[in-house]
Amino acid sequence: MHIRDLPHPDPGVPDVRTGGRFLAWLCRQQRGGLTKALFWGLVHMGALAAFPLPVGLAVQAAVDGRGSRLALAGGVLTLLGAAVAISDVMLHRSAVTNWIVTVARMQQLLSRKAAELGGAMTRRVAAGEIVAVSTGDLERIGWFVEALSRFAAALVASIGVCVALVAYQPSLGLIVALGTPVLALAVLPLLPPATRRADAQREKAGRATELASDTVAGLRVLRGIGGEDLFLGRYRDASQEVRRAAVRSARMWSLISAVQVALPGLLLIAVVWYGVHLALAGRISIGELVTVYGAVSFLLYPLRHFEELTMAWSFSLPSAGRTARVLALSRPTGGRPTDPQPPSGDLHDPVSGLTARAGRLTAVVCGDPDAAGRLAERLGGHAPQPAPPGPRDAAVDTGDRGTPVPLAEPDRPLSVVLGETPLDDVPRETARTAVLVQDKDPVLLSGTLGELLDVPASGRVTAPQALDAAQCGDVLAALARTSADDRDDPMHSHLTERGRSLSGGQRQRLALARSLVADPEVLVLDEPTSAVDAHTESRVADGLRGIRAGRTTVVLTSSPLLLDRADQVVFLQDGKVSGEAPHRELLDTHPEYRAVVTRDPEPAAGTPAPRTATTTEETA
């Protein structure tokens, strides 16, 4: 595959049982590119290995005074030089292509896994671990695949040179043939400690990255409580730990490099010393000595490829293991693909007893925000996930015999039913088309506003209609002033990462507009106006009710303004339905509901139910 053909039409199904099997699978997927690189590597190494022969002939021709043989040697050197130049360029192109194509394949696999798991991914694996896998680990694995063909060509060339030397000059060739494997294997005892140090450096860097991400995400809160210096000190300490780990790792790799330089030098000295004695004794000619010297000098070049591959293997194997563990994660559902058509009808949660009637706006009040979040996930067909494992915990256990065994998971709760179809029994893509969940902290990706609203949609709701219903007029006006378009078009305005240039209420309303544009059959909103002021919230409630007319909408909230616009309000206590009626009726008849909505834990007996809405200020 060429780089211009990326992305892959299908990245394939990886073998994620172990890191080694994952590396082997990647190499099989890239066997065409590896074969091409191997061919050019053999041409390159063969041309380099042949250089000492015409050089030796040229020296001997000069000693013997034979001009014709000297000219012949010069012509051969010219052809070999051209072959070296061309093959070096093609080898580099092929090797780099293998690197890029392999990394692109892994990026597609990780993206597919992230789309499959959704928000559950960061509950299974720490966010810093995911960042480290998708950046540094992929680069190390790509490095190994890229270096593999060069190593194979160097290995074949080294064996060929040793055999040729034994045939050409047995006494010197035997020394080289015995010494070269020793040089190649001399660094093996140093690799395990070097790998451990490199792995420790990578883990410390991952923790520092996660700390930096958390600090940036909570920067406004830190400024508010004066905690910037505290977290800056923590990050500085983490950075120093990374530096110390990097120095320890670099020392070990510098020792390996020193061994790779010193031992071949000693071999070269031994060959020259013995060859000079043979030449003085008249057993070999000057030209033969120059040829042997040139061949031994050439062997120093493939030995560097041996060093590179050992380093690449040491770095890539742990990285492949971590990548395989992430790719081995799966949704703990037993869904069976059936009808690809999205189901429709009432949405029922058998765990809580909640039923959201089709085509109606249902508000759900739950005193526990965490329980509300879990309910929103269930309504969207997202099964609950276990706690995140440690960085070395695997999604599969290889057991005593190396056979992959899935990790134990908690019993799966009953599936949410849409119409008469359990969401677990439909393909994931179909379930996502039918039910869309917007959590309480929606993410806005960087890009233009037009790109933000360019989502898979039914086509029934346009972007202007959704923005109007979500009361985004002030947001559009602010974005228009920063638009890169000459017409001050806010749709071309650029949003920063996670929308950090906007206030909390503005981010919530843009996220709501994005969900309204998608126009799913069922829309579940978890606290969609918690950061919006009361006046704006009232208009958002009216806009939501109007634009979602005829569609099923579930809003998890305790805001009286939203509750008053709902067709039906369901009150949950201890995760179960405790009351169901219009908002004002529940205020009059259900004391526990009134206590949650009015924030009054102990309402006085006989106190009339409040009829006015509580207000919240729009937060940043």
Side-chain angles (χ1 to χ4, degrees):
M1 169 175 278
H2 300 286
I3 296 177
R4 63 174 175 269
D5 298 326
L6 295 175
H8 298 274
D10 180 12
V13 180
D15 186 345
V16 294
R17 287 175 289 179
T18 64
R21 290 178 182 271
F22 180 60
L23 283 177
W25 177 83
L26 286 173
C27 292
R28 289 196 301 270
Q29 298 300 112
Q30 198 58 27
R31 55 183 174 271
L34 289 174
T35 302
K36 183 178 179 180
L38 176 60
F39 169 76
W40 288 113
L42 289 174
V43 174
H44 182 64
M45 293 288 180
L48 284 175
F51 257 100
L53 184 59
V55 170
L57 291 176
V59 171
Q60 191 62 42
V63 172
D64 298 339
R66 302 181 62 177
S68 59
R69 181 166 293 185
L70 184 62
L72 176 62
V76 173
L77 285 172
T78 302
L79 293 177
L80 289 177
V84 167
I86 295 174
S87 60
D88 192 21
V89 171
M90 298 306 298
L91 173 61
H92 179 74
R93 286 172 58 91
S94 301
V96 172
T97 298
N98 289 334
W99 187 337
I100 294 175
V101 171
T102 300
V103 171
R105 185 184 301 277
M106 291 186 289
Q107 287 174 334
Q108 286 184 246
L109 290 172
L110 288 172
S111 299
R112 186 173 68 183
K113 182 59 63 176
E116 175 187 342
L117 296 178
M121 190 172 192
T122 53
R123 290 190 293 274
R124 303 286 295 275
V125 182
E129 182 78 2
I130 297 173
V131 172
V133 167
S134 59
T135 53
D137 284 338
L138 296 195
E139 290 296 314
R140 294 186 182 99
I141 296 171
W143 175 28
F144 172 77
V145 175
E146 181 257 351
L148 189 59
S149 292
R150 289 203 302 269
F151 165 77
L155 179 62
V156 172
S158 298
I159 294 175
V161 169
C162 290
V163 172
L165 283 177
V166 172
Y168 181 71
Q169 184 51 248
S171 55
L172 288 175
L174 189 60
I175 296 176
V176 176
L178 294 177
T180 300
V182 175
L183 300 182
L185 302 176
V187 299
L188 290 184
L190 300 176
L191 288 181
T195 301
R196 288 193 295 269
R197 292 189 181 189
D199 208 27
Q201 175 196 350
R202 183 256 178 206
E203 289 183 3
K204 292 181 182 296
R207 288 196 292 269
T209 300
E210 188 171 356
L211 179 60
S213 177
D214 292 342
T215 303
V216 172
L219 187 58
R220 293 186 177 183
V221 176
L222 291 176
R223 287 174 175 172
I225 63 176
E228 295 172 86
D229 292 338
L230 174 62
F231 274 80
L232 180 61
R234 290 181 180 178
Y235 182 71
R236 185 181 293 111
D237 293 340
S239 299
Q240 289 302 312
E241 290 183 7
V242 174
R243 182 190 62 80
R244 287 190 290 269
V247 170
R248 293 183 70 247
S249 177
R251 286 173 179 168
M252 183 58 68
W253 288 111
S254 64
L255 176 60
I256 292 175
S257 298
V259 170
Q260 290 282 9
V261 172
L263 293 184
L266 294 177
L267 176 63
L268 186 60
I269 292 172
V271 169
V272 171
W273 179 83
Y274 185 55
V276 168
H277 281 73
L278 292 178
L280 292 176
R283 296 173 57 184
I284 64 173
S285 66
I286 298 299
E288 290 174 332
L289 177 60
V290 172
T291 300
V292 173
Y293 173 82
V296 176
S297 300
F298 161 78
L299 286 176
L300 303 183
Y301 178 63
L303 282 175
R304 288 200 294 270
H305 290 295
F306 296 165
E307 177 192 359
E308 180 189 18
L309 189 75
T310 55
M311 292 180 64
W313 169 259
S314 301
F315 279 118
S316 65
L317 187 59
S319 296
R322 288 185 289 264
T323 306
R325 287 194 288 270
V326 173
L327 293 176
L329 298 174
S330 61
R331 297 175 67 235
T333 64
R336 301 179 299 278
T338 55
D339 186 1
Q341 293 298 323
S344 60
D346 296 344
L347 183 67
H348 176 68
D349 175 32
V351 177
S352 63
L354 167 69
T355 298
R357 302 299 176 186
R360 304 185 68 185
L361 174 59
T362 302
V364 180
V365 177
C366 183
D368 183 2
D370 293 333
R374 292 192 294 269
L375 173 61
E377 290 182 355
R378 287 202 308 273
L379 293 178
H382 300 271
Q385 304 288 342
R392 294 187 177 273
D393 291 345
V396 294
D397 181 12
T398 57
D400 296 334
R401 300 183 180 179
T403 303
V405 179
L407 291 178
E409 292 178 346
D411 293 336
R412 184 164 59 93
L414 297 174
S415 172
V416 169
V417 178
L418 181 57
E420 298 180 355
T421 306
L423 287 183
D424 283 355
D425 289 348
V426 299
R428 183 186 67 254
E429 294 78 7
T430 305
R432 297 295 175 268
T433 302
V435 183
L436 174 64
V437 177
Q438 177 181 307
D439 61 26
K440 65 182 63 178
D441 187 22
V443 175
L444 301 183
L445 301 179
S446 60
T448 65
L449 180 58
E451 293 170 342
L452 175 71
L453 301 179
D454 184 17
V455 296
S458 67
R460 190 179 72 98
V461 178
T462 65
Q465 290 174 331
L467 291 168
D468 182 64
Q471 301 301 311
C472 295
D474 61 317
V475 185
L476 296 178
L479 291 176
R481 291 193 292 269
T482 62
S483 172
D485 190 89
D486 294 337
R487 296 168 296 179
D488 295 332
D489 185 357
M491 301 303 289
H492 294 164
S493 298
H494 186 78
L495 300 176
T496 57
E497 180 186 3
R498 299 181 67 90
R500 289 194 175 98
S501 60
L502 304 173
S503 70
Q506 290 173 330
R507 288 196 297 270
Q508 276 193 335
R509 283 178 284 156
L510 284 181
L512 176 59
R514 178 178 58 188
S515 299
L516 295 177
V517 168
D519 190 39
E521 182 68 25
V522 179
L523 177 60
V524 180
L525 304 171
D526 187 4
E527 293 289 356
T529 57
S530 59
V532 178
D533 64 84
H535 178 67
T536 304
E537 186 178 28
S538 176
R539 291 184 292 150
V540 169
D542 291 333
L544 177 64
R545 181 178 178 86
I547 202 169
R548 292 289 298 172
R551 296 285 199 179
T552 307
T553 308
V554 181
V555 182
L556 284 78
T557 183
S558 59
S559 167
L561 291 171
L562 287 173
L563 297 173
D564 197 41
R565 268 71 167 186
D567 297 312
Q568 193 78 345
V569 178
V570 180
F571 179 56
L572 270 62
Q573 281 186 300
D574 299 325
K576 302 292 183 181
V577 173
S578 174
E580 184 174 354
H583 168 59
R584 296 176 185 272
E585 181 179 334
L586 280 177
L587 281 176
D588 292 333
T589 61
H590 207 300
E592 291 83 1
Y593 172 81
R594 183 167 60 249
V596 172
V597 173
T598 62
R599 281 73 167 177
D600 184 7
E602 297 180 358
T607 302
R611 299 290 184 177
T612 58
T614 59
T615 61
T616 59
E617 294 185 0
E618 184 167 1
T619 58

